[in-house]
Amino acid sequence: MNTPLFEALLRLGDDRLVLGHRTSEWCGHAPILEEDIALANIALDHIGQANLLLGYAGTVEGAGRDQDALAYFRDAVEYRNALLCELPKGDFGVTIVRHFLHGVFSVLQWEALSQSTDPTIAGIAAKALKESKYHVRHCGEWVIRLGDGTDESHARAQAAVDQLWPYTGELFMQPADEASLVSAGVSADVSALEGAWRAQVSDVLRRATLTAPEGVWMQRGGREGRHTEHLGHMLAEMQIVARSHPGAQW
Amino acid sequence: MTTMSPVADDSARLAQFEARVAADESIEPKDWMPERYRSQLIRMMSQHAHSEVVGMLPEGNWITRAPSLRRKMILLAKVQDEGGHGLYIYCGTETLGVDRQELVQQLLDGKAKYSSIFNYPTLSWADMGAIGWLVDGAAIVNQTMLAKASYGPYARAMVRICKEENFHKRQGYEIMATLARGTPAQKAMAQESLNRWWWPSLMMFGPHDKDSSNSDELMKWGIKRKSNDELRQRFVNLTIAQVKAIDLTVPDPALRYDEATGNWITGPIDWDEFWRVVKGNGPCNRERIEARRRAHEDGAWVRAAAIAHAEKQQRNNRETTERQQ
Amino acid sequence: MTNPSREKSWPLWEVFSQGKDGAPHEHAGSVHATDAEHALQNARDVYARRNEGVSLWVVPSAAITASTPEDMGPFFDPANDKAYRHPQFYKVPKGVKVF
């Protein structure tokens, strides 16, 4: 049985690993050279955060697994990321809107976790907070340009919001097993972040002339290992080399 | 008013220009330069920039499969750097009065060349080692020379690039060294990769001096400072010791050490293969251009959106100002 | 649909970066961007990937007026013979160590 702290760290780390991996798929294929470099920076920040969080998860677990063992030798059902993170990268609109939606959540989460009573978590959160603030700035500005750009870009940005919105609810569903961590000040209650998230997201969507869907069913399952079919394919690609040579050093 | 005829004027300017190059002075964008110098620079610099951008693809092919998080970050940062270097050199080329968009279009239309090495496929993880070590190693030998090029913006871009590329070759060699002392399967992977990349790396320096059509002019004008064969020899001499240090073998039975010159002499390079790839029939020429074209076309709506948004903002700002007046 | 061969380019911006606190801003290179905020972000992503700066300026390249090579004589040569602008021009009595 995994301890609540280990599970909580997987949720934090897997979100960033999966989202970072998806973003890294853009490298060499972005709409313009400047943005190729920007997206690679965002991907690097996420994978860097995952590296720290999964490394700490391995330490907490105490079973001799390091971040690579956790990243490369777990199956999809053992991953704890939100479904939002694993959806295919889609077009540039989907990529940007997703980073914006998840980024605003991340900023709020890191702000809370930078006060964690666990100094390792607080340290990682303080570093990640600066990175996520920039992601929100960059992607938020893009959301406004795409939403309030051409007819085509508006339609694509709105389609991205519509596609991704049903996956945002899961970000704020507080896992039951984290209750003791929240009361000990180790973890942050994500359900408390939703109001601030909504206010910030609505403000940017309004400036982008985009609208958030209302009353849609919110998908969930990632935090318990019940994923979309996309994650398995992503992991198959990500893990192929490492799993073909178990025990090897790279 | 000058009384000199345009022809006499130009030949005087040419003499002055060549004297400046000979004195190792830096030529800057607004300085007078022979048309041929300008066009040769545009050709060479844009080819170099295209090579950086197309060069993102073979390594980009393995970012999603890198076998550890550390390797994934290193590779992503490296491929990102290639994009940055393409950007620096495109900007340097733009100082000569061409637009990046125009240069990119030439690449997408198949009218511009780029380094042939990127038309080879990446088939194993070890190729990430071989490319960093050999391809970037060869590029560094070339670029160290270009950092002294006579055209200021090109030389300055190269200085920045050389500084940043230091880690590229090291990370590649580290991958190869790690594989070579790893499991038997890993060592075999490293050797197989070296076998495939060795000869194409030597071809990166271009044809032998006697067969290189542009070299004389480029050297006269200080754009290139060393010949293809000189640079290739320098690369071979540096690399052989590195191959031996990690206990791999160069796929060249004719390789020998020449005591008199202190040079490693390789067997004959297959120039038929070189020209075949240059002329478009390498294993990946079509895929590479197709990938660039797709990225460019898929991104058109994004680039257009940014322009449209900026125009709207400018219009709004103008209207606000007018209302205030 | 955008016609790729007729596509309008994003404008060019010059990037100046300050290496450390108190140092002058120096030219780092250029980026393409459609507005100032994006130019600044692109400059950050392209020219500050390695911790190179503490501050960035971006200026539309079209807004820069530069001297020409023809200006070189009239602009800069007249400064050659004005040694009195430099402190070494002036004698200080022996024995005065710190001035």
Side-chain angles (χ1 to χ4, degrees):
Chain A
M1 186 61 193
N2 293 331
T3 66
L5 181 56
F6 178 69
E7 283 284 325
L9 288 165
L10 291 186
R11 288 174 193 127
L12 289 169
D14 289 348
D15 264 20
R16 278 74 200 183
L17 175 58
V18 172
L19 197 46
H21 181 98
R22 283 297 189 208
T23 313
S24 78
E25 293 171 355
W26 277 100
C27 191
H29 308 278
I32 193 164
L33 211 35
E34 280 80 356
E35 192 55 32
D36 213 307
I37 295 166
L39 287 174
N41 274 343
I42 294 176
L44 281 168
D45 286 344
H46 281 81
I47 299 167
Q49 293 168 8
N51 188 45
L52 296 173
L53 291 160
L54 295 181
Y56 186 42
T59 307
V60 165
E61 187 192 35
R65 292 202 283 183
D66 63 6
Q67 52 267 62
D68 289 329
L70 290 171
Y72 290 92
F73 292 90
R74 274 183 304 149
D75 292 336
V77 292
E78 297 168 273
Y79 264 72
R80 294 290 179 263
N81 59 283
L83 301 178
L84 177 68
C85 303
E86 71 199 42
L87 301 174
K89 76 182 202 303
D91 68 4
F92 184 72
V94 171
T95 286
I96 284 295
V97 170
R98 169 162 61 184
H99 267 302
F100 172 68
L101 297 175
H102 193 271
V104 174
F105 164 74
S106 286
V107 167
L108 296 167
Q109 192 177 32
W110 298 135
E111 270 170 358
L113 288 175
S114 62
Q115 308 299 318
S116 170
T117 52
D118 181 318
T120 306
I121 293 178
I124 295 171
K127 176 183 177 291
L129 176 59
K130 293 181 203 159
E131 295 167 347
S132 294
K133 278 185 174 169
Y134 183 75
H135 306 157
V136 169
R137 175 167 171 181
H138 185 74
C139 298
E141 291 289 342
W142 260 122
V143 169
I144 292 167
R145 281 158 185 73
L146 298 181
D148 189 21
T150 63
D151 291 346
E152 183 182 1
S153 72
H154 177 84
R156 283 177 181 262
Q158 185 61 57
V161 172
D162 294 344
Q163 183 205 330
L164 299 171
W165 200 258
Y167 295 94
T168 56
E170 187 180 24
L171 299 174
F172 307 103
M173 295 175 189
Q174 181 61 26
D177 67 354
E178 275 193 45
S180 62
L181 293 175
V182 170
S183 56
V186 173
S187 188
D189 179 0
V190 287
S191 66
L193 308 176
E194 191 168 5
W197 180 85
R198 250 175 208 288
Q200 289 179 41
V201 167
S202 308
D203 179 53
V204 169
L205 291 184
R206 184 184 48 73
R207 289 166 61 200
T209 70
L210 297 169
T211 46
E214 291 200 29
V216 294
W217 173 256
M218 288 294 175
Q219 297 291 339
R220 65 180 300 175
R223 301 291 187 214
E224 293 87 40
R226 294 194 312 279
H227 290 275
T228 66
E229 290 178 344
H230 303 294
L231 183 64
H233 291 281
M234 193 201 100
L235 293 181
E237 182 176 345
M238 187 177 106
Q239 297 174 335
I240 176 79
V241 179
R243 290 210 182 190
S244 301
H245 302 266
Q249 298 296 306
W250 300 100
Chain B
M1 276 294 281
T2 173
T3 51
M4 269 199 268
S5 74
V7 177
D9 194 23
D10 264 10
S11 65
R13 283 170 146 179
L14 180 62
Q16 197 186 21
F17 170 85
E18 288 185 339
R20 290 188 61 198
V21 171
D24 280 340
E25 281 185 35
S26 174
I27 306 300
E28 294 298 332
K30 288 192 168 186
D31 292 350
W32 184 88
M33 60 187 80
E35 256 328 293
R36 180 81 187 150
Y37 177 83
R38 183 187 300 274
S39 63
Q40 282 282 44
L41 268 177
I42 293 174
R43 183 187 63 81
M44 187 166 159
M45 291 173 73
S46 59
Q47 276 182 18
H48 194 163
H50 298 329
S51 300
E52 298 281 356
V53 172
V54 176
M56 298 172 80
L57 299 171
E59 287 172 289
N61 183 36
W62 282 85
I63 291 171
T64 52
R65 288 177 288 175
S68 74
L69 294 181
R70 175 172 176 267
R71 288 290 170 208
K72 198 183 190 68
M73 290 189 279
I74 293 170
L75 185 60
L76 182 51
K78 182 196 184 264
V79 180
Q80 179 196 41
D81 268 354
E82 312 295 357
H85 298 168
L87 197 152
Y88 304 160
I89 305 168
Y90 278 130
C91 287
T93 318
E94 287 185 283
T95 62
L96 292 160
V98 285
D99 189 276
R100 187 170 89 189
Q101 184 70 36
E102 212 176 297
L103 301 172
V104 168
Q105 199 57 51
Q106 289 169 4
L107 174 71
L108 302 183
D109 292 345
K111 289 179 193 149
K113 286 192 188 134
Y114 56 88
S115 180
S116 270
I117 194 82
F118 302 120
N119 290 320
Y120 289 87
T122 50
L123 302 178
S124 75
W125 170 252
D127 289 3
M128 300 306 98
I131 291 182
W133 173 32
L134 300 175
V135 175
D136 286 75
I140 289 168
V141 168
N142 199 26
Q143 287 170 349
T144 307
M145 165 198 74
L146 290 172
K148 299 186 188 82
S150 56
Y151 188 56
Y154 197 19
R156 286 192 288 275
M158 279 308 131
V159 169
R160 197 177 179 102
I161 289 171
C162 286
K163 228 187 277 172
E164 296 189 354
E165 282 208 345
N166 266 336
F167 100 80
H168 294 187
K169 181 179 170 181
R170 275 171 184 262
Q171 65 86 33
Y173 190 56
E174 190 189 80
I175 289 174
M176 284 304 245
T178 308
L179 294 175
R181 62 164 189 268
T183 65
Q186 284 180 303
K187 181 162 186 182
M189 195 198 290
Q191 183 63 55
E192 190 276 335
S193 178
L194 173 59
N195 292 350
R196 272 184 293 114
W197 291 96
W198 174 253
W199 291 108
S201 303
L202 298 190
M203 294 175 199
M204 280 178 71
F205 296 94
H208 286 309
D209 297 346
K210 60 179 168 44
D211 305 316
S212 176
S213 53
N214 288 309
S215 276
D216 285 353
E217 201 172 46
L218 294 174
M219 295 213 10
K220 179 181 80 179
W221 281 335
I223 300 173
K224 280 180 72 163
R225 301 265 176 187
K226 288 200 168 77
S227 77
N228 294 353
D229 285 330
E230 280 177 282
L231 293 169
R232 183 166 22 241
Q233 188 63 60
R234 184 174 155 67
F235 171 74
V236 170
N237 290 350
L238 283 172
T239 309
I240 295 298
Q242 294 162 2
V243 176
K244 289 179 186 297
I246 57 175
D247 201 22
L248 294 178
T249 318
V250 172
D252 179 1
L255 182 78
R256 66 183 174 81
Y257 184 69
D258 183 60
E259 294 280 352
T261 56
N263 286 331
W264 284 95
I265 310 298
T266 67
I269 293 171
D270 181 357
W271 293 111
D272 289 343
E273 175 182 325
F274 174 77
W275 289 114
R276 191 165 66 240
V277 182
V278 168
K279 293 196 169 118
N281 292 316
C284 298
N285 297 56
R286 284 171 194 80
E287 281 98 328
R288 298 300 184 231
I289 290 299
E290 187 47 36
R292 288 311 313 155
R293 215 176 273 156
R294 202 165 43 241
H296 192 76
E297 284 168 10
D298 289 351
W301 70 273
V302 177
R303 298 190 299 276
I307 290 177
H309 181 78
E311 284 169 354
K312 278 187 199 174
Q313 292 301 106
Q314 282 161 8
R315 218 164 32 238
N316 288 347
N317 290 345
R318 252 198 322 274
E319 283 165 11
T320 313
T321 316
E322 278 162 13
R323 265 201 304 279
Q324 281 164 354
Q325 282 165 354
Chain C
M1 198 46 211
T2 321
N3 180 348
S5 60
R6 293 271 188 98
E7 188 178 325
K8 207 163 157 187
S9 295
W10 284 10
L12 196 63
W13 300 67
E14 299 305 320
V15 178
F16 299 83
S17 103
Q18 186 183 31
K20 57 177 197 289
D21 182 53
H25 284 71
E26 285 177 2
H27 187 240
S30 347
V31 290
H32 286 267
T34 51
D35 57 67
E37 168 64 20
H38 250 172
L40 201 54
Q41 291 189 11
N42 291 344
R44 178 259 191 200
D45 282 318
V46 175
Y47 293 103
R49 293 201 299 288
R50 287 178 166 76
N51 233 337
E52 292 103 328
V54 294
S55 161
L56 288 168
W57 292 345
V58 289
V59 186
S61 306
I64 292 183
T65 309
S67 65
T68 64
E70 289 71 36
D71 291 333
M72 207 147 107
F75 267 47
F76 307 113
D77 288 356
N80 273 347
D81 62 351
K82 296 187 175 58
Y84 46 79
R85 290 196 200 277
H86 300 279
Q88 297 86 335
F89 183 73
Y90 302 94
K91 290 193 180 76
V92 174
K94 270 197 183 118
V96 180
K97 289 254 167 67
V98 183
F99 195 72

